[in-house]
Amino acid sequence: MLPAGPGGRERLETTLFKPDGPGPFPLLVINHGKAPGNPRLQRRDRFVYMAAAFVRRGYAVLVPMRTGFANSSGRYSDFGCNMTANGYAQAADIADVLEYASQQSWIDARRIVVAGQSYGGLASMALATQDIPGVRGVLNFAGGLRTVGGSCDWQQALVQAFADYGRRSRLPSLWLYGANDSFFAPPLVSRLHQAYTRGGGKAQLLAYGAFKSDAHRMLASRDGEKIWLPHAERFLQAIGMPFREVYALAETPAAPASNYAALEDVAALPYLPERGREQYRAFLQRMTPRAFAISASGAWGWAEEGEEPEARALAACQSSSEQPCRLYSVDERVVWPDASAGRTD
């Protein structure tokens, strides 16, 4: 829980990844987006795939939840259609995290990179207008913020925000936006980039085409690394930051396949009513990574893409079951461990 806000009175729920040892390590700070609804109910972001890639390259990684999000204290600030002010308000928390980090003996405060996804990308670009010692560059993954309903011309407001940031910033940045981003379509991205660079901002735009069903989720995807990492490595090299692997990380153990049933054998699922089996049939068309969980109560839950689908599937199942839930299948394999449970139930 890192200090933030006036007098350090607020506390930001923050995830830390770092190599073993005392350091000092170069630092990456990754900034999250905003899910629909109450920010207080938003899940804590971890960006485990990006964090692991940077730990392999010798970095410490901080992933803070900003004021009012998840278990961080304070109240979320919303300036409505004033996207410029929204970005600056969120950037204040990032600046506080950097101030804390620069005082830690295990951080090399001369070598810092800031990254952000969606609303975190907008906040990171706003942060780049500040002269913060040690920050060498910004990685902007689908940065921006949109509003739904009302009279706000949020796209024009975003253009104005990036124009303001570009006039004030001289930090180099790498922008990554996909062709099928459900939030920010390519024509809008071009406007944002033009507005930023016309004002003097330094931004390399990588328009990488379509990614699965929605490029907006690329950074949180297990398969996104093949797109962003080669470009990020070249960017890191250009700004004098480490980019070669120096640590080995163990892969997360995968649940072993069982001999309970074939993946497509819907009739083999124990406990589930017909509606649950219909859900499993639909689940088999979902993207990987994916997981499906069931309970002896007849409940089920599933998750696809993003981080920790196994945990999210179990949580979805457990939310409607008083009895324990267990994983039935993960990706392309059945992992249900009990060869007799529920066959005749």
Side-chain angles (χ1 to χ4, degrees):
M1 304 298 287
L2 303 190
R9 291 189 295 270
E10 305 298 349
R11 291 293 182 267
L12 305 184
E13 181 184 32
T14 303
T15 305
L16 165 66
F17 304 86
K18 75 177 186 67
D20 193 19
F25 305 107
L27 174 66
L28 170 70
V29 178
I30 312 177
N31 300 292
H32 63 83
K34 182 184 183 301
N38 185 352
R40 180 67 63 201
L41 303 179
Q42 184 164 321
R43 289 170 53 92
R44 174 173 128 185
D45 282 288
R46 299 175 69 200
F47 294 101
V48 291
Y49 302 122
M50 186 179 192
F54 273 77
V55 170
R56 289 189 181 98
R57 286 154 178 82
Y59 287 73
V61 180
L62 290 172
V63 187
M65 300 301 295
R66 299 186 297 280
T67 299
F69 285 91
N71 290 318
S72 295
S73 68
R75 179 178 295 178
Y76 167 68
S77 296
D78 185 356
F79 292 88
C81 203
N82 188 340
M83 298 299 177
T84 307
N86 282 326
Y88 281 131
Q90 300 299 307
D93 278 349
I94 307 173
D96 289 338
V97 170
L98 291 172
E99 181 179 359
Y100 166 86
S102 65
Q103 299 171 5
Q104 308 308 306
S105 62
W106 43 275
I107 292 294
D108 182 352
R110 303 165 302 168
R111 297 191 295 173
I112 300 172
V113 176
V114 174
Q117 191 271 338
S118 195
Y119 199 6
L122 179 69
S124 298
M125 299 310 300
L127 179 85
T129 65
Q130 302 181 36
D131 183 15
I132 299 179
V135 178
R136 299 194 182 186
V138 176
L139 295 165
N140 168 21
F141 293 89
L145 179 66
R146 70 173 183 178
T147 62
V148 178
S151 59
C152 172
D153 185 353
W154 62 269
Q155 296 190 9
Q156 181 58 32
L158 267 187
V159 172
Q160 293 171 352
F162 277 92
D164 180 86
Y165 303 157
R167 286 192 298 269
R168 300 172 184 269
S169 174
R170 293 299 178 266
L171 276 178
S173 58
L174 174 64
W175 297 19
L176 297 96
Y177 289 81
N180 61 332
D181 190 303
S182 62
F183 282 56
F184 312 120
L188 174 59
V189 173
S190 296
R191 292 173 62 196
L192 301 179
H193 186 253
Q194 290 174 6
Y196 188 82
T197 55
R198 282 174 183 166
K202 301 176 183 178
Q204 174 190 350
L205 173 60
L206 172 64
Y208 56 82
F211 178 80
K212 294 191 172 181
S213 63
D214 186 356
H216 199 72
R217 299 187 291 179
M218 184 271 290
L219 185 61
S221 172
R222 183 178 64 188
D223 301 321
E225 185 174 295
K226 66 173 69 75
I227 291 177
W228 67 260
L229 184 55
H231 301 280
E233 285 181 328
R234 287 192 287 272
F235 179 73
L236 294 172
Q237 183 179 18
I239 62 176
M241 295 293 291
F243 65 97
R244 298 188 185 280
E245 289 193 32
V246 291
Y247 291 95
L249 297 183
E251 297 295 332
T252 302
S258 68
N259 295 318
Y260 177 74
L263 181 69
E264 297 82 8
D265 187 355
V266 178
L269 273 81
Y271 309 131
L272 293 192
E274 182 55 33
R275 183 165 176 266
R277 298 180 193 280
E278 292 174 359
Q279 289 290 305
Y280 184 74
R281 290 187 186 94
F283 165 78
L284 293 177
Q285 307 304 314
R286 303 288 179 179
M287 295 181 294
T288 58
R290 64 187 184 184
F292 196 94
I294 59 177
S295 167
S297 68
W300 68 89
W302 59 269
E304 68 169 335
E305 262 292 1
E307 300 172 1
E308 301 177 312
E310 296 94 336
R312 289 187 285 123
L314 287 167
C317 174
Q318 206 66 64
S319 67
S320 58
S321 175
E322 295 183 355
Q323 298 189 47
C325 293
R326 290 188 292 175
L327 293 174
Y328 180 81
S329 68
V330 176
D331 289 345
E332 304 294 339
R333 60 191 187 280
V334 173
V335 299
W336 186 253
D338 190 348
S340 60
R343 282 287 195 167
T344 59
D345 189 72

